[in-house]
Amino acid sequence: QVQLVESGGGLVQAGGSLRLSCVASGRTFSRLVMGWFRQAPGKEREFVAAVTPLGLTTDYADAVKGRFTISRDNALNTVDLTMNSLKPDDTAIYYCNAGQRLRGPWYDYWGQGTQVTAS
């Protein structure tokens, strides 16, 4: 079992930046693929980005490529999402999760999420 706690969300003007952080506890963090997801009002949760256990490979949704960067620190059990050039369409609750491969399957370890609003 893994417990995940997201933080760093907020209200930002379009074109601005935010850095989200997720702290994990429980299972061996350094063995897990970690990912970020988001869910906008009235929409299903969607994949945003993922990183392999040692941080050597990343994957991004087309909508965020070139603007978002995922990174991890296995010594601190954290995975971050740096978001630049934010757009109103990026407004959503952002969640982190753990999985087996870059595009899943994903475990059911969802945290409470952190709200990002770009206007």
Side-chain angles (χ1 to χ4, degrees), residues 67-86:
R67 300 188 297 122
F68 290 11
T69 302
I70 188 170
S71 59
R72 66 189 296 162
D73 186 331
N74 287 344
L76 298 178
N77 280 14
T78 59
V79 56
D80 293 347
L81 184 69
T82 301
M83 305 184 295
N84 297 319
S85 302
L86 281 162

Side-chain angles (χ1 to χ4, degrees), residues 1 21 25 33 48 65 75 95 114:
Q1 187 71 19
S21 186
S25 62
V33 170
V48 174
K65 278 182 182 176
Y95 303 87
T114 185

Side-chain angles (χ1 to χ4, degrees), residues 3-75:
Q3 293 77 43
L4 301 168
V5 178
E6 302 93 341
S7 63
L11 174 64
V12 63
Q13 289 187 340
S17 299
L18 280 175
R19 185 179 180 93
L20 308 182
S21 186
C22 171
V23 179
S25 62
R27 198 169 162 180
T28 305
F29 179 80
S30 62
R31 297 177 181 176
L32 298 170
V33 170
M34 294 301 298
W36 281 96
F37 300 76
R38 65 187 182 186
Q39 186 167 19
K43 296 186 178 181
E44 292 187 354
R45 186 152 44 195
E46 63 178 2
F47 170 82
V48 174
V51 60
T52 51
L54 297 182
L56 298 179
T57 303
T58 57
D59 189 24
Y60 296 92
D62 289 343
V64 306
K65 278 182 182 176
R67 300 188 297 122
F68 290 11
T69 302
I70 188 170
S71 59
R72 66 189 296 162
D73 186 331
N74 287 344

